[in-house]
Amino acid sequence: MTAHPTLRPEPKPGILGITPYKPGKATAEGVAHPVKLSGNENILGCSPMAREAYVGAVGELNVYPDGRGTTLRNAIAERYRIEPERLVLGCGTDEILHLINQTFLEPGDNIVQGQYAFGAYGIGARACQAEVRSAAEPNYRLDVDLILELVDERTKLVFVTNPANPTGTFNTEAELVRLHQGLPPNVVLVIDAAYAEFCTDPTFTDGLDLARDAENIIVTHTFSKLHGLAALRVGWAYAPGPIADAIDRIRPPFNVSIPALEAAVAALADTEFQAKSLAHIEQWRPWLSQQLGGLGLNVTPSGANFILVEFPKTPGKTAAEAEVFLARHGLIVRGVANYGLPGHLRITLGLEEHNRALVAALAEFLAAR
Ligand SMILES: Cc1ncc(COP(=O)(O)O)c(C=O)c1O
């Protein structure tokens, strides 16, 4: 082999320009057991039935899972009354979002999303050398018309999060219908419904009904939030048959592990845990929003298991300083400057004692001179 001292491996163009996804912090300096309210996880844990199923899978660690995840596929299909062959299972929604980008995007194509869109969409698109177009979100809410304005002949995917992360806001069924109707038929509307189970507003939809008869809608769901199985990484997509078939061609064959598949099946059957999780959010979301509003903070109305809170710009009272103050009090919340929201914090709803501690700590923070 001739030596080529000037040649070295180079990632393809654009990769090194990608800002990596920043997960919520999990530690607080000097605090032994902080409360993590930065990851939008299920504060109640997970279904006891799921845990039992996970432990029960310990005897199968030497074998590969069923690559089609047939049992889980059928359980999801039955529960949501959708066709099992139109489902794609993934190692979390995260993997599915990457697979969707890889399936559709060529260099020079573009995706359209909201200004505060969940970071994973853009990362996956940039990895495909596609352009990321972000429409302004007045009042922290996706605006259908502003999204449609950015769509052109190179647009392949439009991403909507419903309810959205990190804002917590949601779009109505009528708005999603209008968005879908405004898109050319070759553009895929991806509706990420990670937090959908927490939104009980009658005008809301997770998009499954819209997707049923459409040839260009994909809806994604996750077991990480309502079901509390974030550690196991299980997500799914409901897609038109030809799209599910295309995505499946590049899906890693054994992408959902046996313990994850079995726990997810059990979680889906545990309607008691699901109801308890939703009731917890419905009890504490209005309470925390009201309490923080009472302290003079702006809280964006949320349909998810977290709230977005705006802090004053006054030195000493800012979001960044509140984040540090709360961490010192053992409460880890999420700074969202990387989403273009330096004046806000995103706070996952905690247990009663966490929520009360949070209000007390913020009252102290805001009162301090
Ligand atoms: C909007 C949104 N989509 C997708 C995900 C990823 O979900 P999963 O845990 O299934 O990968 C998250 C996780 O926080 C999210 O907030």
Side-chain angles (χ1 to χ4, degrees):
M1 249 337 247
T2 334
H4 292 286
T6 55
L7 288 182
R8 57 193 159 92
E10 288 283 2
K12 61 184 183 181
I15 296 288
L16 298 182
I18 293 173
T19 308
Y21 181 78
K22 187 175 162 226
K25 289 180 192 148
T27 54
E29 215 181 300
V31 182
H33 300 290
V35 180
K36 187 176 175 225
L37 304 175
S38 59
N40 297 343
E41 292 139 338
N42 191 323
I43 201 76
L44 301 183
C46 75
S47 146
M49 286 163 60
R51 186 192 301 256
E52 205 175 305
Y54 175 83
V55 172
V58 76
E60 302 170 86
L61 298 187
N62 57 320
V63 291
Y64 284 105
D66 164 15
R68 295 280 295 160
T70 311
T71 312
L72 178 59
R73 176 182 297 273
N74 290 337
I76 294 168
E78 193 176 317
R79 163 72 182 276
Y80 289 88
R81 299 204 182 95
I82 50 184
E83 310 90 310
E85 62 280 4
R86 286 178 61 180
L87 293 170
V88 179
L89 305 184
C91 178
T93 315
D94 281 340
E95 184 187 43
I96 294 177
L97 295 168
H98 266 293
L99 292 173
I100 293 171
N101 277 319
Q102 284 174 42
T103 300
F104 287 98
L105 298 176
E106 288 183 81
D109 286 339
N110 68 66
I111 69 162
V112 178
Q113 61 178 16
Q115 174 182 7
Y116 306 115
F118 180 55
Y121 315 144
I123 291 176
R126 289 190 176 98
C128 299
Q129 294 168 265
E131 182 197 346
V132 178
R133 299 184 166 188
S134 301
E137 293 188 48
N139 298 319
Y140 310 109
R141 214 170 146 270
L142 200 87
D143 181 298
V144 168
D145 298 304
L146 296 179
I147 289 278
L148 288 173
E149 272 176 27
L150 294 186
V151 172
D152 69 7
E153 65 286 349
R154 291 305 303 264
T155 304
K156 294 289 164 59
L157 300 166
V158 170
F159 285 94
V160 172
T161 324
N162 213 27
N165 172 21
T167 60
T169 58
F170 68 89
N171 290 94
T172 64
E173 175 160 17
E175 286 173 319
L176 292 186
V177 167
R178 203 155 62 76
L179 174 58
H180 179 234
Q181 283 173 352
L183 291 175
N186 65 320
V187 175
V188 180
L189 174 60
V190 183
I191 303 172
D192 177 347
Y195 301 96
E197 293 93 342
F198 297 118
C199 192
T200 49
D201 188 284
T203 65
F204 171 83
T205 179
D206 67 356
L208 284 177
D209 279 345
L210 306 182
R212 203 177 293 276
D213 297 318
E215 289 177 6
N216 61 338
I217 297 182
I218 303 176
V219 177
T220 62
H221 267 274
T222 181
F223 280 88
S224 300
K225 309 298 177 182
L226 180 78
H227 299 289
L229 295 181
L232 293 186
R233 318 301 305 124
V234 193
W236 55 274
Y238 177 59
I243 294 181
D245 172 66
I247 298 173
D248 250 337
R249 286 167 195 265
I250 59 167
R251 180 180 60 82
F254 306 112
N255 59 336
V256 189
S257 71
I258 291 178
L261 287 168
E262 297 194 358
V265 169
L268 209 51
D270 193 346
T271 49
E272 193 181 321
F273 180 76
Q274 292 160 36
K276 204 166 106 180
S277 298
L278 174 59
H280 183 78
I281 298 306
E282 288 198 301
Q283 177 179 3
W284 291 102
R285 185 170 53 198
W287 184 86
L288 192 60
S289 303
Q290 209 177 12
Q291 292 287 319
L292 297 187
L295 295 179
L297 300 171
N298 281 332
V299 181
T300 304
S302 169
N305 65 342
F306 57 87
I307 55 173
L308 183 72
V309 186
E310 185 178 7
F311 284 75
K313 293 189 174 55
T314 329
K317 307 291 172 209
T318 65
E321 288 159 305
E323 184 185 350
V324 171
F325 184 90
L326 289 171
R328 262 193 246 120
H329 284 69
L331 298 163
I332 305 176
V333 300
R334 177 76 178 259
V336 280
N338 58 326
Y339 280 94
L341 293 163
H344 290 72
L345 293 177
R346 192 194 69 189
I347 304 175
T348 307
L349 294 159
L351 296 175
E352 173 171 359
E353 71 251 35
H354 308 148
N355 299 331
R356 291 191 186 282
L358 189 98
V359 171
L362 284 179
E364 189 186 327
F365 169 75
L366 292 166
R369 312 199 75 226

PDB file of all heavy atoms in Angstrom, residues 81-97:
ATOM      1  N   ARG A  81     -56.951  -0.173  17.202  1.00  0.00           N
ATOM      2  CA  ARG A  81     -57.793  -0.556  16.054  1.00  0.00           C
ATOM      3  C   ARG A  81     -57.176  -0.096  14.729  1.00  0.00           C
ATOM      4  O   ARG A  81     -57.789   0.623  13.937  1.00  0.00           O
ATOM      5  CB  ARG A  81     -59.204   0.026  16.204  1.00  0.00           C
ATOM      6  CG  ARG A  81     -59.903  -0.492  17.442  1.00  0.00           C
ATOM      7  CD  ARG A  81     -61.413  -0.421  17.297  1.00  0.00           C
ATOM      8  NE  ARG A  81     -62.045  -0.886  18.518  1.00  0.00           N
ATOM      9  CZ  ARG A  81     -62.446  -0.092  19.497  1.00  0.00           C
ATOM     10  NH1 ARG A  81     -62.323   1.214  19.373  1.00  0.00           N
ATOM     11  NH2 ARG A  81     -63.008  -0.583  20.572  1.00  0.00           N
ATOM     12  N   ILE A  82     -55.923  -0.529  14.548  1.00  0.00           N
ATOM     13  CA  ILE A  82     -55.221  -0.200  13.302  1.00  0.00           C
ATOM     14  C   ILE A  82     -54.610  -1.486  12.731  1.00  0.00           C
ATOM     15  O   ILE A  82     -54.504  -2.491  13.446  1.00  0.00           O
ATOM     16  CB  ILE A  82     -54.138   0.888  13.519  1.00  0.00           C
ATOM     17  CG1 ILE A  82     -53.227   0.527  14.696  1.00  0.00           C
ATOM     18  CG2 ILE A  82     -54.781   2.251  13.746  1.00  0.00           C
ATOM     19  CD1 ILE A  82     -52.196   1.589  15.032  1.00  0.00           C
ATOM     20  N   GLU A  83     -54.194  -1.425  11.475  1.00  0.00           N
ATOM     21  CA  GLU A  83     -53.709  -2.626  10.808  1.00  0.00           C
ATOM     22  C   GLU A  83     -52.281  -2.934  11.264  1.00  0.00           C
ATOM     23  O   GLU A  83     -51.391  -2.095  11.121  1.00  0.00           O
ATOM     24  CB  GLU A  83     -53.688  -2.434   9.284  1.00  0.00           C
ATOM     25  CG  GLU A  83     -54.985  -1.896   8.694  1.00  0.00           C
ATOM     26  CD  GLU A  83     -54.994  -0.367   8.648  1.00  0.00           C
ATOM     27  OE1 GLU A  83     -54.685   0.279   9.678  1.00  0.00           O
ATOM     28  OE2 GLU A  83     -55.311   0.188   7.592  1.00  0.00           O
ATOM     29  N   PRO A  84     -52.041  -4.177  11.748  1.00  0.00           N
ATOM     30  CA  PRO A  84     -50.702  -4.504  12.259  1.00  0.00           C
ATOM     31  C   PRO A  84     -49.610  -4.368  11.202  1.00  0.00           C
ATOM     32  O   PRO A  84     -48.483  -3.977  11.511  1.00  0.00           O
ATOM     33  CB  PRO A  84     -50.828  -5.961  12.735  1.00  0.00           C
ATOM     34  CG  PRO A  84     -52.123  -6.477  12.197  1.00  0.00           C
ATOM     35  CD  PRO A  84     -52.992  -5.300  11.902  1.00  0.00           C
ATOM     36  N   GLU A  85     -49.935  -4.660   9.947  1.00  0.00           N
ATOM     37  CA  GLU A  85     -48.892  -4.618   8.899  1.00  0.00           C
ATOM     38  C   GLU A  85     -48.464  -3.185   8.578  1.00  0.00           C
ATOM     39  O   GLU A  85     -47.456  -2.976   7.918  1.00  0.00           O
ATOM     40  CB  GLU A  85     -49.357  -5.356   7.633  1.00  0.00           C
ATOM     41  CG  GLU A  85     -50.576  -4.798   6.925  1.00  0.00           C
ATOM     42  CD  GLU A  85     -51.914  -5.178   7.562  1.00  0.00           C
ATOM     43  OE1 GLU A  85     -51.932  -5.834   8.634  1.00  0.00           O
ATOM     44  OE2 GLU A  85     -52.957  -4.795   6.995  1.00  0.00           O
ATOM     45  N   ARG A  86     -49.207  -2.205   9.061  1.00  0.00           N
ATOM     46  CA  ARG A  86     -48.822  -0.812   8.812  1.00  0.00           C
ATOM     47  C   ARG A  86     -47.967  -0.224   9.941  1.00  0.00           C
ATOM     48  O   ARG A  86     -47.678   0.958   9.957  1.00  0.00           O
ATOM     49  CB  ARG A  86     -50.079   0.051   8.599  1.00  0.00           C
ATOM     50  CG  ARG A  86     -50.725  -0.185   7.235  1.00  0.00           C
ATOM     51  CD  ARG A  86     -51.985   0.635   7.057  1.00  0.00           C
ATOM     52  NE  ARG A  86     -51.751   2.075   7.137  1.00  0.00           N
ATOM     53  CZ  ARG A  86     -52.710   2.992   7.005  1.00  0.00           C
ATOM     54  NH1 ARG A  86     -53.961   2.606   6.776  1.00  0.00           N
ATOM     55  NH2 ARG A  86     -52.428   4.271   7.099  1.00  0.00           N
ATOM     56  N   LEU A  87     -47.579  -1.084  10.897  1.00  0.00           N
ATOM     57  CA  LEU A  87     -46.779  -0.594  12.030  1.00  0.00           C
ATOM     58  C   LEU A  87     -45.287  -0.837  11.801  1.00  0.00           C
ATOM     59  O   LEU A  87     -44.897  -1.848  11.220  1.00  0.00           O
ATOM     60  CB  LEU A  87     -47.200  -1.310  13.312  1.00  0.00           C
ATOM     61  CG  LEU A  87     -48.611  -0.989  13.804  1.00  0.00           C
ATOM     62  CD1 LEU A  87     -49.008  -1.933  14.935  1.00  0.00           C
ATOM     63  CD2 LEU A  87     -48.674   0.453  14.273  1.00  0.00           C
ATOM     64  N   VAL A  88     -44.484   0.103  12.289  1.00  0.00           N
ATOM     65  CA  VAL A  88     -43.031  -0.085  12.339  1.00  0.00           C
ATOM     66  C   VAL A  88     -42.637   0.075  13.806  1.00  0.00           C
ATOM     67  O   VAL A  88     -43.012   1.067  14.443  1.00  0.00           O
ATOM     68  CB  VAL A  88     -42.287   0.981  11.502  1.00  0.00           C
ATOM     69  CG1 VAL A  88     -40.779   0.758  11.597  1.00  0.00           C
ATOM     70  CG2 VAL A  88     -42.741   0.949  10.047  1.00  0.00           C
ATOM     71  N   LEU A  89     -41.924  -0.908  14.339  1.00  0.00           N
ATOM     72  CA  LEU A  89     -41.484  -0.814  15.733  1.00  0.00           C
ATOM     73  C   LEU A  89     -40.037  -0.331  15.765  1.00  0.00           C
ATOM     74  O   LEU A  89     -39.236  -0.673  14.886  1.00  0.00           O
ATOM     75  CB  LEU A  89     -41.587  -2.181  16.415  1.00  0.00           C
ATOM     76  CG  LEU A  89     -42.961  -2.875  16.382  1.00  0.00           C
ATOM     77  CD1 LEU A  89     -42.919  -4.166  17.190  1.00  0.00           C
ATOM     78  CD2 LEU A  89     -44.049  -1.952  16.919  1.00  0.00           C
ATOM     79  N   GLY A  90     -39.729   0.461  16.789  1.00  0.00           N
ATOM     80  CA  GLY A  90     -38.377   1.011  16.831  1.00  0.00           C
ATOM     81  C   GLY A  90     -37.781   1.051  18.221  1.00  0.00           C
ATOM     82  O   GLY A  90     -38.479   0.931  19.228  1.00  0.00           O
ATOM     83  N   CYS A  91     -36.454   1.221  18.253  1.00  0.00           N
ATOM     84  CA  CYS A  91     -35.714   1.395  19.496  1.00  0.00           C
ATOM     85  C   CYS A  91     -35.970   2.838  19.952  1.00  0.00           C
ATOM     86  O   CYS A  91     -35.149   3.733  19.760  1.00  0.00           O
ATOM     87  CB  CYS A  91     -34.239   1.130  19.224  1.00  0.00           C
ATOM     88  SG  CYS A  91     -33.194   1.349  20.658  1.00  0.00           S
ATOM     89  N   GLY A  92     -37.153   3.030  20.501  1.00  0.00           N
ATOM     90  CA  GLY A  92     -37.612   4.381  20.813  1.00  0.00           C
ATOM     91  C   GLY A  92     -38.104   5.062  19.542  1.00  0.00           C
ATOM     92  O   GLY A  92     -37.767   4.645  18.426  1.00  0.00           O
ATOM     93  N   THR A  93     -38.904   6.114  19.739  1.00  0.00           N
ATOM     94  CA  THR A  93     -39.314   6.927  18.590  1.00  0.00           C
ATOM     95  C   THR A  93     -38.080   7.499  17.911  1.00  0.00           C
ATOM     96  O   THR A  93     -38.067   7.711  16.708  1.00  0.00           O
ATOM     97  CB  THR A  93     -40.195   8.101  19.049  1.00  0.00           C
ATOM     98  OG1 THR A  93     -41.148   7.616  19.978  1.00  0.00           O
ATOM     99  CG2 THR A  93     -40.927   8.745  17.902  1.00  0.00           C
ATOM    100  N   ASP A  94     -37.053   7.756  18.710  1.00  0.00           N
ATOM    101  CA  ASP A  94     -35.829   8.360  18.168  1.00  0.00           C
ATOM    102  C   ASP A  94     -35.327   7.595  16.951  1.00  0.00           C
ATOM    103  O   ASP A  94     -34.973   8.193  15.939  1.00  0.00           O
ATOM    104  CB  ASP A  94     -34.723   8.348  19.241  1.00  0.00           C
ATOM    105  CG  ASP A  94     -34.896   9.468  20.248  1.00  0.00           C
ATOM    106  OD1 ASP A  94     -35.604  10.445  19.936  1.00  0.00           O
ATOM    107  OD2 ASP A  94     -34.316   9.363  21.338  1.00  0.00           O
ATOM    108  N   GLU A  95     -35.279   6.273  17.074  1.00  0.00           N
ATOM    109  CA  GLU A  95     -34.779   5.489  15.940  1.00  0.00           C
ATOM    110  C   GLU A  95     -35.726   5.627  14.752  1.00  0.00           C
ATOM    111  O   GLU A  95     -35.285   5.761  13.598  1.00  0.00           O
ATOM    112  CB  GLU A  95     -34.639   4.012  16.316  1.00  0.00           C
ATOM    113  CG  GLU A  95     -34.031   3.236  15.162  1.00  0.00           C
ATOM    114  CD  GLU A  95     -34.005   1.738  15.396  1.00  0.00           C
ATOM    115  OE1 GLU A  95     -35.000   1.185  15.894  1.00  0.00           O
ATOM    116  OE2 GLU A  95     -32.996   1.112  15.061  1.00  0.00           O
ATOM    117  N   ILE A  96     -37.004   5.601  15.025  1.00  0.00           N
ATOM    118  CA  ILE A  96     -37.980   5.674  13.923  1.00  0.00           C
ATOM    119  C   ILE A  96     -37.857   7.010  13.192  1.00  0.00           C
ATOM    120  O   ILE A  96     -37.922   7.068  11.961  1.00  0.00           O
ATOM    121  CB  ILE A  96     -39.404   5.450  14.465  1.00  0.00           C
ATOM    122  CG1 ILE A  96     -39.503   4.006  14.983  1.00  0.00           C
ATOM    123  CG2 ILE A  96     -40.452   5.712  13.397  1.00  0.00           C
ATOM    124  CD1 ILE A  96     -40.814   3.646  15.600  1.00  0.00           C
ATOM    125  N   LEU A  97     -37.645   8.074  13.944  1.00  0.00           N
ATOM    126  CA  LEU A  97     -37.493   9.391  13.310  1.00  0.00           C
ATOM    127  C   LEU A  97     -36.272   9.394  12.385  1.00  0.00           C
ATOM    128  O   LEU A  97     -36.318   9.899  11.272  1.00  0.00           O
ATOM    129  CB  LEU A  97     -37.373  10.482  14.379  1.00  0.00           C
ATOM    130  CG  LEU A  97     -38.628  10.675  15.244  1.00  0.00           C
ATOM    131  CD1 LEU A  97     -38.331  11.562  16.447  1.00  0.00           C
ATOM    132  CD2 LEU A  97     -39.777  11.258  14.425  1.00  0.00           C
TER     133      LEU A  97
END
